Amino acid sequence: MTLSAPHALFTYGTLQVREVQLARFGRLLQGRRDALPGYRTTELQITDPDVIAVSGTDRHLLVIPSDDPADSVEGVVLELTDKELAAADDYEVDDYARVEVTLVSGIKAWAYLESTPSVL
């Protein structure tokens, strides 16, 4: 995959939704199917009213590490500009952290994974 924008973002949830893309990026994005190995999804209840209003739901997927090496999370790789990546960061709540991952295809991409609390 050759990127026409500077950032590859792997999304497995609401950033694939038409209304979310239009609200966050001002355009519809075309993605390529891919998968994140070694992870599984769980569900997270969102409390941010702005995120709920844009996505239409208070239930979002959250990717967490899996003990089963056969597990993987299906999703889409989007190509984002710097401004669009910042808009995606702004959309994601504190339960998520943007992390660079390697996908099944071998592509390195950003993904929003479970945020781990800081150790004091």
Side-chain angles (χ1 to χ4, degrees), residues 12-14 42-46 51 59-63 88-89 91-99 111-116:
Y12 51 87
T14 60
T42 188
E43 200 171 77
L44 175 69
Q45 184 171 8
I46 302 296
V51 173
R59 302 287 178 180
H60 288 211
L61 293 178
L62 177 66
V63 166
D89 285 346
Y91 172 75
E92 298 297 347
V93 296
D94 290 342
D95 296 296
Y96 296 91
R98 181 165 44 96
V99 177
Y112 294 100
L113 308 181
E114 180 182 32
S115 179
T116 53

Side-chain angles (χ1 to χ4, degrees), residues 96-110:
Y96 296 91
R98 181 165 44 96
V99 177
E100 188 177 57
V101 297
T102 301
L103 303 173
V104 168
S105 65
I107 292 172
K108 288 192 183 292
W110 294 114

Side-chain angles (χ1 to χ4, degrees), residues 55-81:
S55 70
T57 181
D58 69 345
R59 302 287 178 180
H60 288 211
L61 293 178
L62 177 66
V63 166
I64 58 175
S66 174
D67 292 332
D68 184 347
D71 279 348
S72 68
V73 175
E74 298 291 322
V76 173
V77 178
L78 303 174
E79 297 178 9
L80 303 180
T81 64

Side-chain angles (χ1 to χ4, degrees), residues 12-27:
Y12 51 87
T14 60
L15 286 175
Q16 296 178 66
V17 175
R18 172 187 173 85
E19 293 77 17
V20 173
Q21 288 185 4
L22 289 173
R24 298 314 304 170
F25 311 125
R27 68 183 179 111

